[in-house]
Amino acid sequence: MQEKEAGMLGRVNHIAIAVPNLAAATASYRDVLGARVSPPQALPEHGVTVVFVELPNTKVELLEPLGEGSPIAAFLEKSPSGGMHHICYEVDDILSARDRLVAGGARVLGDGTPKTGAHGKPVLFLHPKDFFGTLIELEEV
Amino acid sequence: MQEKEAGMLGRVNHIAIAVPNLAAATASYRDVLGARVSPPQALPEHGVTVVFVELPNTKVELLEPLGEGSPIAAFLEKSPSGGMHHICYEVDDILSARDRLVAGGARVLGDGTPKTGAHGKPVLFLHPKDFFGTLIELEEV
């Protein structure tokens, strides 16, 4: 059996889906798919308004751009109807995770210093080109 | 508290990621991200070879096309480096879920009859245009 190592991937914290119209997407997930959804939360410092879709084992986050320079604006320009934007994995220690990733040749976005994410915890994003087109967020929990 | 209704979304069973090179992607998830990965499993009847990335609360499935007419071939033609392909949610009763979805105006792919999915269970796919660019699989568990 493989032991858990420092820097290993933990739970899927959330799957983020960018949408052009949060009210319509929320109604779809609630009324058509039959999921539990949170009220919308504006996070101006992150450039998004978010609705949490609560599943029994993880959550989906529906993201709509908020304000100028939203980090999901370019994505929605390319995919105007929306789409899966990133996956967030939990890690125990974000600095050791980062060091392991960089040693493995992966690129961390920005200057490599964890930022405070939308849940108030340290996060990093990894370059999607290093992970087969998937944008990966790591969140220390 | 909201009661669980027939047809409601259950757990995220998996997040599927299409990749052009399964061996390379598996090595990345195992060695760089530090995740547990399964051996590759060829599923010729589904047109994919799959590696399971086991997380504590769900799994990621890395999919590589197998044979002619793979259901992920068109996706990889459009996104040659790969990307998030679909999310699979568990439901208790796939026929009641389907009926609820159709009543809500969602389109089920194919003729609406559940097929046997990659895990040997009944599955349906929903039209991504009805869910903001996200391809959704429902699996009865």
Side-chain angles (χ1 to χ4, degrees):
Chain A
M1 200 172 115
Q2 191 181 355
E3 292 298 317
K4 188 157 191 255
E5 295 168 36
M8 271 192 85
L9 284 198
R11 297 174 71 257
V12 172
N13 182 276
H14 62 268
I15 303 119
I17 296 178
V19 298
N21 181 332
L22 189 58
T26 304
S28 260
Y29 275 80
R30 184 189 58 219
D31 302 333
V32 184
L33 287 167
R36 289 161 206 227
V37 299
S38 77
Q41 296 179 29
L43 302 172
E45 68 282 23
H46 294 285
V48 293
T49 304
V50 61
V51 162
F52 300 97
V53 180
E54 302 287 354
L55 290 320
N57 60 333
T58 187
K59 56 186 183 291
V60 163
E61 297 188 7
L62 303 174
L63 305 176
E64 182 186 62
L66 176 64
E68 296 301 307
S70 169
I72 60 169
F75 179 92
L76 284 169
E77 222 162 281
K78 210 174 151 192
S79 303
S81 51
M84 285 185 273
H85 185 265
H86 67 264
I87 301 186
C88 176
Y89 297 100
E90 298 178 357
V91 295
D92 288 336
D93 179 337
I94 203 161
L95 295 178
S96 88
R98 177 198 61 192
D99 293 346
R100 172 188 178 129
L101 284 157
V102 170
R107 285 166 288 177
V108 174
L109 298 187
D111 67 3
T113 311
K115 302 279 184 291
T116 300
H119 313 127
K121 299 189 174 153
V123 303
L124 283 174
F125 284 89
L126 309 179
H127 202 304
K129 288 207 174 148
D130 293 337
F131 295 99
F132 307 90
T134 300
L135 178 60
I136 293 175
E137 180 180 17
L138 299 179
E139 179 173 307
E140 184 172 288
V141 291
Chain B
M1 199 171 117
Q2 192 181 355
E3 293 297 316
K4 191 161 190 252
E5 297 169 35
M8 271 193 84
L9 283 196
R11 298 174 71 256
V12 171
N13 182 276
H14 62 270
I15 304 120
I17 296 178
V19 299
N21 181 332
L22 189 58
T26 303
S28 259
Y29 276 79
R30 183 188 59 218
D31 302 334
V32 183
L33 287 167
R36 290 161 205 225
V37 299
S38 77
Q41 296 178 29
L43 302 172
E45 68 282 24
H46 294 285
V48 294
T49 305
V50 60
V51 162
F52 300 97
V53 179
E54 301 287 354
L55 290 320
N57 59 332
T58 188
K59 56 188 184 290
V60 164
E61 296 188 7
L62 303 173
L63 305 176
E64 182 187 61
L66 176 63
E68 296 301 310
S70 169
I72 61 169
F75 180 92
L76 284 168
E77 220 161 281
K78 209 173 150 193
S79 303
S81 51
M84 285 184 272
H85 185 265
H86 68 263
I87 301 185
C88 176
Y89 296 100
E90 299 177 357
V91 294
D92 288 337
D93 179 338
I94 203 161
L95 294 178
S96 88
R98 177 198 62 190
D99 293 345
R100 174 188 178 126
L101 285 155
V102 170
R107 284 166 289 177
V108 174
L109 298 188
D111 65 4
T113 310
K115 302 277 185 292
T116 300
H119 312 127
K121 299 190 174 152
V123 303
L124 284 174
F125 283 89
L126 309 180
H127 202 305
K129 288 207 174 147
D130 294 335
F131 295 99
F132 307 90
T134 300
L135 177 60
I136 293 177
E137 180 180 16
L138 299 179
E139 180 174 306
E140 183 172 287
V141 290

